[in-house]
Amino acid sequence: MTTRLLLLFSLAATVLLSSPVLAEDVLPSWRAGAARDAILEFVEQVTDESGPHFVPPKERVATFDNDGTLWAEQPVYFQLFFTLDRVRAMAPEHPEWKTTQPFQSVLENDMDALMAGGEESLIPLLLATHTGMTTDEFSATVSDWLATAVHPVLQRPYTDLVYQPMLELLDYLRDHGFHTYITSGGGIEFMRPWVEAVYGIPPEQVIGSSLEMEYEVVDGKPVLRKLPELHFFDDKEGKPIAIQRFIGRRPIASFGNSDGDFQMLEWTAAGDGLRLAVYVHHTDADREWAYDRDSHIGRLDRGLNEAPGRGWIVVDMKRDWEVVFPFELEEK
Amino acid sequence: MTTRLLLLFSLAATVLLSSPVLAEDVLPSWRAGAARDAILEFVEQVTDESGPHFVPPKERVATFDNDGTLWAEQPVYFQLFFTLDRVRAMAPEHPEWKTTQPFQSVLENDMDALMAGGEESLIPLLLATHTGMTTDEFSATVSDWLATAVHPVLQRPYTDLVYQPMLELLDYLRDHGFHTYITSGGGIEFMRPWVEAVYGIPPEQVIGSSLEMEYEVVDGKPVLRKLPELHFFDDKEGKPIAIQRFIGRRPIASFGNSDGDFQMLEWTAAGDGLRLAVYVHHTDADREWAYDRDSHIGRLDRGLNEAPGRGWIVVDMKRDWEVVFPFELEEK
């Protein structure tokens, strides 16, 4: 290549690559304030090659809780809505459910009776709807459900109920060389069919709870069958354990919304160098829901107490988010 | 940008990106033959955007067994050598080991007595040397050991005993957009400290066996402590199960050397589209070891029987590899 050509190439590359991004252009659904500033400042510092806090791209791991952090979780976890819908859909093949609890309560739409037994009492529903089939069959069932199911309160498809500011944050972090992982208490196999399209998070970056599986060869064709036994519950202490097992690197940034995320944030924040630990606090009863210390879902108590003293960021959804759900943008 | 500049830019990009690679230049330690041809042909087909077998880069997942596939495994798994060396190093703190089996056999260098009890009898050694410490402490111990330990037969550092043709294959696949994962029966935490430097495989692409862990806060600092209980054994049926759990995509290419890899190859080969399933067959008693059906390590029996009928490739190390270990290149 001639010197002249090289020069032109370099010029052209500069033009193509260096359109500057102003701080106002990024995270547009985040209102100016301490939370947004802390995030921008952190990303700037860990990506500044000449600064003291630089982190190489391969170590830029950010982990996100899902329920209540990336999408809504009220009035109950969406995976429970899936479970109830599946019980109704499968009921014709199980006439005995009409007179067997907890199935009977589901079929009679008696949510009070159903929830009275606590989370333990829901396990038979989970096993009936999440096990026995192959992983491929389950994945297809989840996709089919999401294509038609509607949230009973907000009357929207569930995948509409993701948080616009968090979608922008995921993109922003990835644009800055971060690897964005989900670390959810929900099921890995329940998330994988849709999180790549919705969040841009590929299957290999989804960590969550899981059931045991069995490898079986049926008519010469191998399948993986989901078994009625818990393999791993990815909550509380489970989150840093799963992060270590799946990723083998400590995140430099973590995002959660409940005490179930406390240990993940603690583990992240305790690493060497600059770290970012963020709680999303549900404070907006008008646009979403307002809940924390006493909530039956996504309880945030210890986290609220300790976040300030630990230097963790608490995002106040009502104060810090200009937009909550993506559909608000269309309505504007 | 002017049209002229665009044209020059495009020209320059063409010059920079299209230096052609001849088939003879790749996989130089592989001798010409059916195995090498099958690998090259497969990669060419799945990366040909205009062809019928094109696979998008994100789905180009290749999984590799470690012991006997990427590095040697004779006369016993290297992780067992690590275990024995650790028993010797820790013995001063455990005077009772002098008269307690199986520790006594290790300290007396009586390998026959040690191995007579079968693999089960080695478990106390594994627990004594792999549990109780934090993940960070264990990782440092593995790194320290590798820095000084020498293979008792080949008198080389263990990380010298990786297979040069497989290193070239890993690079070649990654150069073609593949994501290369380890799926080993060995311990995840034993591999992660060194596989990135040696194979170019980052921690988040290491799948293997694992012990339970405990999250604990010591003097305000969280640690992950390794517990004396097996969490998952990544062998045989466990390999496709772990692949599903960690990656959530079915590999399009898999590489193994024993019947412990059979189900991984079967699961890979049974996917839709073009697939590559490869066995490395240890046939070279001069340069490495020759073993298969009757070996106590890396037994390959069913795999040898069924590979031809299933269209799986069997690499004959003696016939197909010009070089086995990287140090042979320096000696040439």
Side-chain angles (χ1 to χ4, degrees), chain A residues 142-214:
Chain A
V142 172
S143 298
D144 289 348
W145 177 75
L146 281 173
T148 57
V150 169
H151 187 278
V153 179
L154 296 181
Q155 293 295 317
R156 291 266 178 184
Y158 290 96
T159 49
D160 278 14
L161 304 180
V162 298
Y163 302 131
Q164 176 65 22
M166 299 305 282
L167 297 182
E168 293 168 6
L169 179 59
L170 287 167
D171 280 340
Y172 173 69
L173 290 173
R174 286 191 293 254
D175 286 347
H176 287 79
F178 278 76
H179 309 275
T180 53
Y181 285 81
I182 289 179
T183 44
S184 173
I188 296 181
E189 303 279 337
F190 177 73
M191 294 182 283
R192 279 192 177 136
W194 57 274
V195 296
E196 186 160 24
V198 173
Y199 302 140
I201 295 180
E204 63 271 23
Q205 291 177 350
V206 177
I207 302 172
S209 297
S210 58
L211 298 168
E212 295 291 349
M213 285 183 268
E214 174 177 61

Side-chain angles (χ1 to χ4, degrees), chain A residues 21-33 36 39-40 163-172 175 287 319-324 328-329 332:
Chain A
V21 176
L22 298 175
E24 298 84 67
D25 296 338
V26 300
L27 306 184
S29 300
W30 291 71
R31 293 200 185 110
R36 182 172 178 279
I39 293 168
L40 295 180
Y163 302 131
Q164 176 65 22
M166 299 305 282
L167 297 182
E168 293 168 6
L169 179 59
L170 287 167
D171 280 340
Y172 173 69
D175 286 347
R287 297 185 297 178
R319 181 192 65 200
D320 292 325
W321 286 1
E322 179 72 23
V323 168
V324 175
E328 297 168 27
L329 293 172
K332 280 197 170 178

Side-chain angles (χ1 to χ4, degrees), chain A residues 1 5 8-9 11-13 15-16 58 135-136 181 188-189 192 196 202-206 210-215 217 220-224 231-232 237 240-241 244-250 262-264 266-267 270 272, chain B residues 1 5 8-9 11-13 15-16 58 135-136 181 188-189 192 196 202-206 210-215 217 220-224 231-232 237 240-241 244-250 262-264 266-267 270 272:
Chain A
M1 209 178 329
L5 194 55
L8 283 168
F9 176 78
L11 256 173
V15 170
L16 283 178
K58 66 182 181 178
T135 49
D136 285 348
Y181 285 81
I188 296 181
E189 303 279 337
R192 279 192 177 136
E196 186 160 24
E204 63 271 23
Q205 291 177 350
V206 177
S210 58
L211 298 168
E212 295 291 349
M213 285 183 268
E214 174 177 61
Y215 182 84
V217 179
K221 206 177 147 61
V223 296
L224 292 171
H231 174 68
F232 188 77
E237 291 82 2
I241 289 171
Q244 173 65 17
R245 195 168 279 138
F246 277 73
I247 312 178
R249 301 186 197 267
R250 199 191 292 229
F262 189 92
Q263 288 79 4
M264 176 171 75
E266 181 178 53
W267 177 243
D272 296 329
Chain B
M1 211 180 329
L5 194 56
L8 283 169
F9 177 77
L11 255 172
V15 170
L16 282 179
K58 65 182 182 178
T135 49
D136 285 348
Y181 285 80
I188 295 181
E189 304 279 338
R192 279 191 178 138
E196 186 159 24
E204 65 270 22
Q205 292 178 349
V206 177
S210 58
L211 298 168
E212 295 292 349
M213 282 182 270
E214 174 178 59
Y215 183 83
V217 179
K221 207 176 146 63
V223 296
L224 291 172
H231 174 68
F232 188 77
E237 291 82 2
I241 289 171
Q244 174 65 17
R245 193 168 280 139
F246 278 71
I247 313 178
R249 302 186 196 267
R250 200 192 292 229
F262 189 92
Q263 288 79 5
M264 176 170 76
E266 181 178 54
W267 177 243
D272 295 329

Side-chain angles (χ1 to χ4, degrees), chain A residues 246-258:
Chain A
F246 277 73
I247 312 178
R249 301 186 197 267
R250 199 191 292 229
I252 64 169
S254 281
F255 303 82
N257 77 299
S258 80

